[in-house]
Amino acid sequence: MQSVMLKAKLHKARVTHAVLDYEGSCAIDGKLLDMSGIREFEQIQIYNVTNGKRFTTYAIRGEDNSGIISVNGAAAHKAGVDDVVIICAYASYTEAELINFKPRLIYMNPDNTVSHSSNAIPVQVA
């Protein structure tokens, strides 16, 4: 049996570009891709904290160390420059793989530098 789990998350990244006339996708700083384990052309979910919109696209590599988060093509209607977004990638894992499973969680500063990383989300208290 396989379970779909959160593989990686870029938490509270800030959109730097919204390019309607690009062929589609989301360009992400290459160093952030490497750190998070998100692969170029991998399907990603984007959750726009600023406006509440959610959408699916795929990742492409942006310039290393540029801080770029460029929402392109039709998705540019769902996120604008300076919007705060959460970018997630999911993957299927077997029960055996889940024994040692830990997602890569990257927490962003407002300038798209990395604040810190983790592999666990704290328990939410009532």
Side-chain angles (χ1 to χ4, degrees), residues 1 22 58 66 93 114:
M1 182 175 139
Y22 193 80
Y58 60 95
S66 65
Y93 298 92
V114 175

Side-chain angles (χ1 to χ4, degrees), residues 34-53:
D34 294 344
M35 182 179 280
S36 67
I38 297 172
R39 301 177 69 135
E40 190 168 19
F41 308 115
E42 183 172 1
Q43 180 177 296
I44 54 175
Q45 299 286 319
I46 299 180
Y47 312 125
N48 190 325
V49 175
T50 302
N51 67 24
K53 294 179 180 176

Side-chain angles (χ1 to χ4, degrees), residues 16-67:
T16 60
H17 300 75
V19 185
L20 192 58
D21 292 324
Y22 193 80
E23 80 178 67
S25 67
C26 179
I28 300 171
D29 178 316
K31 293 295 185 179
L32 294 175
L33 287 180
D34 294 344
M35 182 179 280
S36 67
I38 297 172
R39 301 177 69 135
E40 190 168 19
F41 308 115
E42 183 172 1
Q43 180 177 296
I44 54 175
Q45 299 286 319
I46 299 180
Y47 312 125
N48 190 325
V49 175
T50 302
N51 67 24
K53 294 179 180 176
R54 295 170 162 244
F55 54 98
T56 303
T57 188
Y58 60 95
I60 61 172
R61 190 173 193 91
E63 181 182 359
D64 287 358
N65 299 311
S66 65

Side-chain angles (χ1 to χ4, degrees), residues 8-124:
K9 173 173 82 163
L10 297 172
H11 188 77
K12 291 197 173 178
R14 190 167 302 273
V15 175
T16 60
H17 300 75
V19 185
L20 192 58
D21 292 324
Y22 193 80
E23 80 178 67
S25 67
C26 179
I28 300 171
D29 178 316
K31 293 295 185 179
L32 294 175
L33 287 180
D34 294 344
M35 182 179 280
S36 67
I38 297 172
R39 301 177 69 135
E40 190 168 19
F41 308 115
E42 183 172 1
Q43 180 177 296
I44 54 175
Q45 299 286 319
I46 299 180
Y47 312 125
N48 190 325
V49 175
T50 302
N51 67 24
K53 294 179 180 176
R54 295 170 162 244
F55 54 98
T56 303
T57 188
Y58 60 95
I60 61 172
R61 190 173 193 91
E63 181 182 359
D64 287 358
N65 299 311
S66 65
I68 190 171
I69 302 291
S70 183
V71 180
N72 300 318
H77 288 288
K78 299 194 178 279
V81 172
D82 288 329
D83 282 3
V84 174
V85 295
I86 299 169
I87 301 170
C88 294
Y90 298 86
S92 294
Y93 298 92
T94 65
E95 290 300 315
E97 291 171 317
L98 289 174
I99 293 170
N100 294 312
F101 171 78
K102 300 282 185 202
R104 292 185 187 180
L105 310 174
I106 311 299
Y107 295 86
M108 310 300 297
N109 291 313
D111 64 353
N112 286 344
T113 57
V114 175
S115 165
H116 63 285
S117 63
S118 180
N119 60 16
I121 296 172
V123 172
Q124 185 172 350

